[in-house]
Amino acid sequence: MMAHQKHREPKLFYHGINLEERLGPDHPLRRVAKAVDFSFVRHEVADCYGVNGNISVDPNIVLKLMFLLFYENVKSERELMRQLPLRLDWLWFCEYDIDDVTPNHSILSKARRRWGAEVFDSFFLRVLEQCIDAGLVDGNIIHIDSSLIQANASKDKLQPELQLLTQQVCQKLEDEPTQSTVEETPLDDVFDDDEPDLNRRVSPTDPEARLAKKYSQTTLGYKDHRAVDDKYGIITSTITTAANINDDKLLTETIENHESNTGSEVKTAVADKAYGVIENYKYLHDRGSKACIPHQKRAHKKDKFPHEAFRYDPHKDCYVCPAGRKLPHVRYVGSSRAHEYRCARETCQTCRFFSDCVMSKKYGRTISRHEDSEYIEWADSCLSSENRRRLLSRRRAKAEGSFADASNNHSFKRCRWRGRTMAAIQNLMIAAVQNLRKLLRYCYRKTAANNCMTTISRCKQLYLSLRRLLQSYHRLFLAKMSKYLLFKEPML
Ligand code: SF4
């Protein structure tokens, strides 16, 4: 018979609701709560709170709410707080009961400002430590890459930095008009940038964000520089900079950060050609690591012979061109720290490759060689071509895959808040959540595999004892049979 749902009468009181029982034993948040200890934050932020005044929300709960924001990819803090009373699993995770009053969304922004990025860095490091303990990090081969993040500001409303600073100073003077306060205000507080460029155009909403161009698209924002371990793709370092900082400047810092976070030495660094500059090769060479980084090739016209078509002869200190002619050393250019090698114009003019090789209207073909070029040659030869191809293809899966996962599942590509510190907090939390998801998946698989192995070993034991029993019955039967045949004894 078909049932009919009765009209629901609103109840004044509900009895027998137990969140602990309502949440299934395999719920992901139950596994998160079991794996991560959020209570460390109470000790870390103890200095940020006074002993008198209003009682704050427990920092442990604030960190859990921040975690939920990224783990569940909720679009805003207001939305998180709107959904919190409706989600039993979130209430259980944040240690609230069904009839508890949930806090206002503003506690999260206040806590972020009060705590700073260090607390979130500690959280990231704690999750990373658990990944290391679980054997998910090898630490010897790392993939380095960066990705742009769009600022929470419009790039169409930029102003010259000078104008913005003048407005800020005027505002400050209006807010604090007393002479003593103006005198005490140091000018360094206003010019907090390392290299102030007063003609640069910045956003008044997020003055720390910078413009960067990639694939003919201009982005106002920040950049996340990551080191991803080769073994399971665990993120071992994340550094946030303004978007206009070149990738090659961060290689050294990323490697040092990885080593201090994991305690293991980098043996091979894998990165794309944006990192392929001589300073990086020299750094890796001097510390005894291998480089799997393609170097930035010099731009040349398609119909001209590239630099790579010329062979350097170290014994005679000259280049040999595709026609077999020598290009002797002519001069050293101090500004570019490069030696120049040139073929005589008369020689080139008689060559059949002249139109395909020479661009100058005055000289023969000139090749310049940086004084540290041996590091490029070292980088080209320190790994076999097969290994290099394999590592570069793994880099696409591990480093680029890590950013793709962050963009698809954790809204990585756009800043939720404003300022570099807030962008750093966002990147640290996303990296921690990504690592934690991998850790839980691995531990769950390991537990499932252990359970499976236990069942198999029990089955094996049962089979062996059954076999022994059957063998003893078989022997008994044979003995009885032989007695019956020989002495005509009854079988039973
Ligand atoms: S043009 Fe000059 S440098 Fe070029 S291949 Fe001929 S001889 Fe060599």
Side-chain angles (χ1 to χ4, degrees):
M1 193 176 79
M2 194 187 296
H4 187 80
Q5 183 70 26
K6 285 180 191 162
H7 182 67
R8 195 183 59 187
E9 291 290 334
K11 289 182 185 172
L12 265 182
F13 303 105
Y14 288 86
H15 302 284
I17 296 174
N18 188 342
L19 286 183
E20 190 66 38
E21 284 173 7
R22 293 262 163 155
L23 207 70
D26 285 339
H27 195 284
L29 284 179
R30 202 184 270 282
R31 277 190 260 152
V32 172
K34 199 176 168 190
V36 187
D37 177 22
F38 289 87
S39 62
F40 81 95
V41 72
R42 289 184 62 84
H43 173 69
E44 294 249 338
V45 300
D47 295 344
C48 305
Y49 293 86
V51 285
N52 294 321
N54 286 337
I55 298 170
S56 74
V57 176
D58 190 341
N60 178 16
I61 306 302
V62 176
L63 187 61
K64 283 187 175 182
L65 287 166
M66 283 288 291
F67 174 81
L68 276 182
L69 192 68
F70 292 97
Y71 184 74
E72 299 279 353
N73 197 18
V74 186
K75 70 175 181 183
S76 69
E77 288 156 7
R78 284 170 194 267
E79 184 61 29
L80 178 83
M81 293 310 189
R82 237 192 318 267
Q83 286 194 28
L84 182 60
L86 311 176
R87 293 279 302 257
L88 295 184
D89 52 347
W90 292 8
L91 284 172
W92 174 86
F93 182 68
C94 295
E95 300 167 38
Y96 284 112
D97 215 332
I98 199 159
D99 51 355
D100 280 346
V101 178
T102 52
N104 188 276
H105 66 87
S106 61
I107 58 142
L108 294 179
S109 53
K110 282 179 195 162
R112 270 197 314 276
R113 274 200 301 275
R114 190 177 284 184
W115 295 356
E118 290 77 24
V119 176
F120 300 94
D121 194 32
S122 297
F123 178 64
F124 167 73
L125 289 178
R126 277 170 173 267
V127 175
L128 179 61
E129 218 171 271
Q130 281 182 280
C131 293
I132 295 168
D133 292 344
L136 301 188
V137 177
D138 176 49
N140 294 334
I141 303 174
I142 57 164
H143 304 278
I144 301 167
D145 204 358
S146 75
S147 182
L148 285 171
I149 311 160
Q150 207 183 337
N152 191 355
S154 169
K155 67 179 178 193
D156 301 326
K157 293 181 180 170
L158 304 184
Q159 290 178 6
E161 196 164 14
L162 179 62
Q163 189 184 332
L164 197 69
L165 287 171
T166 317
Q167 282 174 6
Q168 281 177 5
V169 171
C170 292
Q171 187 67 40
K172 225 170 197 178
L173 290 171
E174 276 176 25
D175 293 348
E176 300 164 8
T178 54
Q179 188 64 30
S180 59
T181 320
V182 173
E183 276 172 7
E184 279 166 18
T185 308
L187 216 64
D188 289 352
D189 285 1
V190 181
F191 296 98
D192 58 348
D193 206 336
D194 292 337
E195 296 168 12
D197 177 4
L198 300 179
N199 295 321
R200 178 171 52 203
R201 293 174 69 77
V202 294
S203 162
T205 347
D206 189 351
E208 287 180 279
R210 293 285 177 267
L211 284 170
K213 202 169 180 185
K214 194 172 183 186
Y215 306 130
S216 72
Q217 200 181 358
T218 311
T219 308
L220 175 75
Y222 300 93
K223 211 180 242 189
D224 183 22
H225 303 263
R226 277 185 181 184
V228 180
D229 188 70
D230 181 71
K231 195 174 179 185
Y232 280 94
I234 298 290
I235 303 155
T236 54
S237 162
T238 164
I239 300 170
T240 306
T241 63
N244 60 343
I245 303 293
N246 285 341
D247 289 354
D248 58 276
K249 302 277 184 297
L250 264 291
L251 183 119
T252 313
E253 204 180 327
T254 305
I255 290 179
E256 282 168 6
N257 205 20
H258 163 88
E259 289 185 342
S260 87
N261 290 350
T262 60
S264 48
E265 201 182 326
V266 173
K267 288 189 180 143
T268 309
V270 190
D272 61 19
K273 65 180 177 186
Y275 294 83
V277 295
I278 287 176
E279 290 74 25
N280 287 342
Y281 293 140
K282 193 169 184 304
Y283 168 74
L284 289 168
H285 175 269
D286 294 350
R287 71 195 302 282
S289 305
K290 286 180 182 170
C292 182
I293 308 173
H295 53 84
Q296 298 168 3
K297 290 191 172 63
R298 295 159 190 81
H300 58 82
K301 281 195 175 177
K302 268 187 182 167
D303 57 345
K304 303 294 172 193
F305 283 148
H307 187 284
E308 289 71 32
F310 293 77
R311 183 174 55 81
Y312 179 67
D313 186 345
H315 302 296
K316 293 178 184 166
D317 189 26
C318 68
Y319 272 92
V320 180
C321 72
R325 309 279 168 81
K326 282 181 186 166
L327 280 73
H329 182 268
V330 284
R331 64 173 185 150
Y332 173 73
V333 185
S335 57
S336 56
R337 293 174 58 215
H339 296 276
E340 278 190 0
Y341 298 81
R342 187 176 296 147
C343 192
R345 178 83 179 177
E346 300 77 43
T347 316
C348 287
Q349 274 173 336
T350 57
C351 174
R352 61 198 159 108
F353 300 128
F354 180 73
S355 56
D356 294 331
C357 182
V358 183
M359 290 169 74
S360 167
K361 291 195 172 116
K362 195 173 170 190
Y363 303 111
R365 176 67 192 256
T366 307
I367 295 283
S368 54
R369 177 184 170 82
H370 194 277
E371 62 180 3
D372 291 330
S373 281
E374 65 263 31
Y375 291 112
I376 295 183
E377 284 152 19
W378 165 81
D380 282 345
S381 61
C382 66
L383 285 165
S384 67
S385 55
E386 195 188 322
N387 257 346
R388 176 178 290 271
R389 252 198 314 276
R390 185 181 62 81
L391 284 173
L392 288 173
S393 124
R394 279 182 77 78
R395 191 197 72 81
R396 273 194 291 280
K398 301 285 175 185
E400 292 178 13
S402 163
F403 283 122
D405 174 49
S407 309
N408 294 336
N409 300 319
H410 305 290
S411 306
F412 166 80
K413 276 291 176 188
R414 189 172 163 80
C415 287
R416 287 170 181 265
W417 311 298
R418 288 167 188 152
R420 189 152 73 91
T421 312
M422 295 299 147
I425 290 174
Q426 176 173 327
N427 293 338
L428 285 164
M429 284 303 287
I430 290 177
V433 168
Q434 282 184 274
N435 284 349
L436 187 63
R437 273 176 38 217
K438 280 205 170 106
L439 177 73
L440 292 178
R441 204 181 312 148
Y442 173 79
C443 291
Y444 183 69
R445 267 191 214 154
K446 207 173 163 186
T447 319
N450 283 347
N451 290 344
C452 190
M453 287 307 291
T454 317
T455 316
I456 289 171
S457 67
R458 276 185 192 158
C459 287
K460 201 174 166 184
Q461 279 173 6
L462 189 68
Y463 164 75
L464 288 172
S465 49
L466 269 173
R467 202 172 73 167
R468 272 198 297 274
L469 192 69
L470 281 172
Q471 278 172 349
S472 59
Y473 272 121
H474 186 238
R475 273 198 298 273
L476 190 68
F477 174 74
L478 285 179
K480 288 276 180 194
M481 194 69 177
S482 56
K483 277 180 185 173
Y484 170 73
L485 290 173
L486 288 172
F487 310 111
K488 296 291 180 194
E489 277 187 11
M491 284 289 284
L492 293 169

